[in-house]
Amino acid sequence: MIFVYFPPSSAIIPSMRRIYFDNGATSYPKAPGVSRAVSRFLDEECVNVNRTYGSRGRKEEENLFSMREKTAEVFGATGRIPVFSSGLTESMNTIISGFLTDRDHVITTSFEHNAVLRALTLHNISFSLLPDDGRGNTLFDSFNSLVRSNTRALIINAASNVSGITADLEKAAECASSHDLALIVDSAQASPFCSMDFNALGISALAFTAHKGFMGPEGLGGMILSDDFAEHLTPLIAGGTGSISDSLDMPSFLPDKFEAGTLNTPALCGFDAALDYYTANKDSLSARLSDVKVSLYEKLRGINGISVAGEFVPERHTALFSVITENKDPAQVCWALSERRGIETRVGLHCAPLAHKALGTYPQGTLRISASPFTSDEEIEILAATLDEVINE
């Protein structure tokens, strides 16, 4: 067991500027309009969808239907009905526990988050890991040799939350299709700026979250399912849906089959605003994020005494980097960045222990630095200067 120790912090200086580099954990700032949308719902609308009858209830039902369409479009899943949940973790647990049993086997990668690895372990589902090249890339050459008679799925993280490297989803889809396996995708770090075409790739299930790349509220996510996969998937939670209330069985149709209980409608309103902002500014946001990740990488690699885990190929990388502090405790560096300049990062194993083993950063972990389209050039300069100062003093 690894414990990360932070020395007792001095009193927070109110005037210290907040410099945020932990967008891999949750985005900040949120997209313009998100907080207003959440507040407006709580102050003015505040209905329980599929329960409250009235003009406001009908309006929110229409908004929710429109939001599902927008979400599906972002993921190239036109015609699908996205299901909302408390987050990607709940969605991934629904997918794993509802589709697989302890008699099944799956193929996955070393770069999976604990939302996948712990769910597989909890339900005693055996899994095999595809090999990697030690630089953050999964190798598919031996895929066929890993397939067993009881293999039912390939689970793949679209972008690593440790290295920032994106997966080859086209190759994954090809491998899964060749053996008639379900292709299950974790899109937490990849969406919405990394292309994922649900229908074209033949994805069976994709889990997403609202609060990272979409820059929406926390506590909200969901999943998109193919028709066949949805039909054979057992719900994780049962309860009221506002539909077919005379039956003790969950409804068989989407989204009700997987949306028991009251939806997090305030967060959904915020997500709707985030979707609108992303859609209206997609090209400029993508261009800015590309500039940010290249600039950030160049600054990091120019600092003596640190290295960046994994290889950097701009078109196959997010704006997230794991820094190896060669002669310094990464926890001490993380603390110093916060204390000296108000720079917020993350340190440790980032809920992905096998990724660290693959990258050679286990058990010490890394200092993770992750930017967003709102990260300024000045903030990158301040981060680099402070990191250089801390590492080389």
Side-chain angles (χ1 to χ4, degrees):
M1 184 177 295
I2 299 170
F3 295 93
V4 176
Y5 170 72
F6 290 94
S9 176
S10 59
I12 295 175
I13 303 172
S15 61
M16 182 178 285
R17 173 185 176 184
R18 185 183 195 188
I19 300 177
Y20 191 77
F21 278 96
D22 195 24
N23 289 274
T26 195
S27 57
Y28 178 82
K30 299 301 180 184
V34 168
S35 60
R36 290 194 299 275
V38 173
S39 178
R40 183 172 58 250
F41 174 82
L42 292 172
D43 291 341
E44 301 174 14
E45 306 298 334
C46 205
V47 298
N48 197 331
V49 178
N50 288 343
R51 279 80 163 175
T52 304
Y53 182 78
S55 60
R56 288 180 175 81
R58 291 194 297 273
K59 176 186 174 184
E60 290 308 320
E61 288 175 11
E62 292 171 0
N63 290 344
L64 188 55
F65 179 82
S66 172
M67 195 188 316
R68 294 189 202 275
E69 289 188 322
K70 295 176 194 175
T71 304
E73 185 175 348
V74 168
F75 289 104
T78 303
R80 309 289 177 187
I81 302 175
V83 173
F84 293 114
S85 69
S86 66
L88 182 139
T89 296
E90 181 187 330
S91 295
M92 194 57 76
N93 273 262
T94 299
I95 291 166
I96 288 172
S97 67
F99 181 69
L100 302 164
T101 72
D102 58 7
R103 298 183 299 275
D104 296 324
H105 169 259
V106 304
I107 298 172
T108 188
T109 80
S110 296
F111 303 103
E112 303 309 306
H113 189 274
N114 275 340
V116 168
L117 298 174
R118 284 182 172 174
L120 291 172
T121 302
L122 176 65
H123 297 287
N124 297 311
I125 299 164
S126 64
F127 60 91
S128 297
L129 298 175
L130 284 161
D132 65 88
D133 64 0
R135 301 190 303 276
N137 302 297
T138 297
L139 304 176
F140 290 89
D141 294 347
S142 61
F143 184 88
N144 292 340
S145 67
L146 297 178
V147 177
R148 304 176 187 173
S149 60
N150 62 336
T151 303
R152 295 192 67 197
L154 166 60
I155 303 178
I156 189 162
N157 196 346
S160 170
N161 74 317
V162 176
S163 70
I165 296 172
T166 61
D168 187 343
L169 292 182
E170 289 76 14
K171 185 62 178 179
E174 178 185 324
C175 289
S177 176
S178 67
H179 291 275
D180 196 26
L181 304 180
L183 177 61
I184 299 170
V185 177
D186 173 348
S187 76
Q189 296 293 335
S191 56
F193 295 105
C194 300
S195 177
M196 281 168 286
D197 195 320
F198 186 96
N199 290 338
L201 291 171
I203 297 173
S204 302
L206 180 147
F208 63 88
T209 189
H211 72 108
K212 297 181 191 275
F214 282 110
M215 300 179 287
E218 293 167 277
L220 180 70
M223 56 187 180
I224 303 176
L225 311 169
S226 69
D227 294 339
D228 183 65
F229 194 91
E231 181 181 350
H232 292 92
L233 188 64
T234 302
L236 177 67
I237 300 171
T241 60
S243 62
I244 320 296
S245 296
D246 60 315
S247 174
L248 298 184
D249 294 321
M250 286 295 290
S252 59
F253 53 85
L254 297 182
D256 298 41
K257 183 177 179 179
F258 303 104
E259 286 186 353
T262 299
L263 288 171
N264 186 353
T265 316
L268 283 166
C269 290
F271 184 42
D272 192 26
L275 283 170
D276 286 344
Y277 179 78
Y278 166 75
T279 301
N281 300 279
K282 178 171 59 176
D283 292 342
S284 60
L285 288 170
S286 296
R288 175 57 189 164
L289 193 61
S290 293
D291 290 343
V292 165
K293 69 184 175 184
V294 171
S295 176
L296 181 55
Y297 175 74
E298 292 297 332
K299 290 294 184 182
L300 291 174
R301 76 168 188 163
I303 299 172
N304 291 327
I306 70 169
S307 58
V308 177
E311 69 176 4
F312 179 66
V313 179
E315 60 271 19
R316 293 191 52 249
H317 212 287
T318 66
L320 178 153
F321 301 94
S322 264
V323 171
I324 302 167
T325 53
E326 296 166 6
N327 298 309
K328 297 275 188 176
D329 181 342
Q332 293 282 353
V333 175
C334 179
W335 173 80
L337 291 174
S338 175
E339 288 293 296
R340 298 185 189 188
R341 300 288 190 280
I343 299 170
E344 299 176 29
T345 56
R346 183 178 177 180
V347 69
L349 296 177
H350 317 303
C351 304
L354 299 188
H356 285 277
K357 290 182 179 180
L359 292 164
T361 56
Y362 185 91
Q364 72 273 20
T366 58
L367 175 71
R368 194 179 73 180
I369 297 169
S370 45
S372 86
F374 296 144
T375 301
S376 70
D377 295 337
E378 181 189 10
E379 287 172 328
I380 294 173
E381 292 285 350
I382 294 172
L383 167 72
T386 309
L387 188 56
D388 193 4
E389 173 187 300
V390 171
I391 292 292
N392 294 298
E393 63 186 1

